[in-house]
Amino acid sequence: MLIFIEPESEKPIYQQIRDQIVEGIARGELLPGTGLPSIRQLAADFGINLHTVNKAYELLEREGFLQVRRKTGAVVQPRGRLAEDWEARLRTLLAEALAQGLPAEEILMRCQRVLATLTEREQPDR
Amino acid sequence: MLIFIEPESEKPIYQQIRDQIVEGIARGELLPGTGLPSIRQLAADFGINLHTVNKAYELLEREGFLQVRRKTGAVVQPRGRLAEDWEARLRTLLAEALAQGLPAEEILMRCQRVLATLTEREQPDR
DNA sequence: CTTTTTGTTATAGCTATTATATAACAAATG
DNA sequence: CATTTGTTATATAATAGCTATAACAAAAAG
């Protein structure tokens, strides 16, 4: 799985890494048990500091996506719990679209379409 | 429309104000043309600084939700454009739920339910 | 056991963000 | 004209994001 960093983005680098790994898990490219590159390895690849990658891994561990161990590196977790504020964030995002005049049906179709792009040609665990 | 501020929240105060006004517009409680309290008035009500409210209004104006005029105060805009990164933010949010094991159908139902709570008993403009 | 790699922890410095506090200016209302 | 309002300008303080070193401890490899 490839990760792209945009240093000029307004989104913090550690957040970019976090989001792309989450999406990788969602797409099924990163299955439970999959090992991720070491902190120093990733930092070297991107030409960024060790602590920036560490912060991303730390966050992913707190959120239940990864388990970080010594020497083994980060390993994708079988499952976790949805963040408590997830629905609140969804609410704010959907409200934004409604407030700009998008019909609820149109918004729902967009959700459906995005979900489809995330779940297509992916092997669900059996 | 009532606005609640949580000073201890990790979400910035100006962002809390922004989000709640957006939701007010989405729910139809704030119709186009509706006047909002003045910057100084809101700041006094919340016991916060003038500039914090100003930042929220400034953001809402940039996003096309409000038009801010002298003396008249802020007025809800008829319509705007959806932010370019809206779909990207939706994607990240939905990926988070998928990665935690929620089935796509369940996620879509949650979207539908949230949309329903935002659009219920609201007078669409005619 | 020794060496290497790795996660962890601890500082430190720098920039940007968030929030506050005053102050002053300009435009619109009454 | 006087008041209210948005706007602009500084200044200060706390926090967040990122970088830079350095050192320590645990696990794997030789």
Side-chain angles (χ1 to χ4, degrees), chain B residues 3-64:
Chain B
I3 295 180
F4 296 98
I5 298 294
E6 294 182 63
E8 299 307 315
S9 168
E10 60 176 10
K11 184 192 283 189
I13 297 177
Y14 81 93
Q15 190 77 45
Q16 295 183 40
I17 298 175
R18 179 268 184 193
D19 288 350
Q20 292 186 49
I21 290 180
V22 168
E23 185 169 329
I25 299 175
R27 298 183 66 96
E29 298 176 12
L30 298 176
L31 295 173
T34 306
L36 292 176
S38 75
I39 290 178
R40 285 178 173 83
Q41 185 63 53
L42 257 193
D45 290 351
F46 296 147
I48 61 178
N49 193 271
L50 174 159
H51 294 94
T52 307
V53 180
N54 188 46
K55 189 165 185 177
Y57 277 22
E58 221 176 15
L59 177 57
L60 286 163
E61 191 175 30
R62 275 205 311 276
E63 295 178 313

Side-chain angles (χ1 to χ4, degrees), chain A residues 91, chain B residues 26-28 113-123:
Chain A
R91 183 180 185 83
Chain B
R27 298 183 66 96
R113 186 156 49 79
V114 170
L115 279 172
T117 65
L118 285 171
T119 53
E120 72 191 357
R121 91 193 150 85
E122 155 219 358
Q123 276 313 62

Side-chain angles (χ1 to χ4, degrees), chain A residues 15-83:
Chain A
Q15 190 77 45
Q16 295 182 41
I17 298 174
R18 179 268 184 192
D19 288 349
Q20 291 186 49
I21 289 180
V22 168
E23 185 168 330
I25 298 176
R27 297 183 66 96
E29 297 175 12
L30 298 177
L31 294 173
T34 307
L36 292 177
S38 76
I39 290 178
R40 284 179 173 82
Q41 185 63 52
L42 256 193
D45 290 352
F46 296 146
I48 61 179
N49 193 271
L50 175 157
H51 293 94
T52 306
V53 180
N54 188 45
K55 190 164 186 178
Y57 277 21
E58 222 175 16
L59 177 57
L60 286 162
E61 191 174 31
R62 274 206 312 275
E63 295 179 313
F65 292 110
L66 298 183
Q67 185 173 358
V68 183
R69 282 193 291 256
R70 288 189 173 279
K71 200 68 181 180
T72 321
V75 179
V76 177
Q77 279 284 85
R79 189 128 316 184
R81 292 175 195 81
L82 205 54

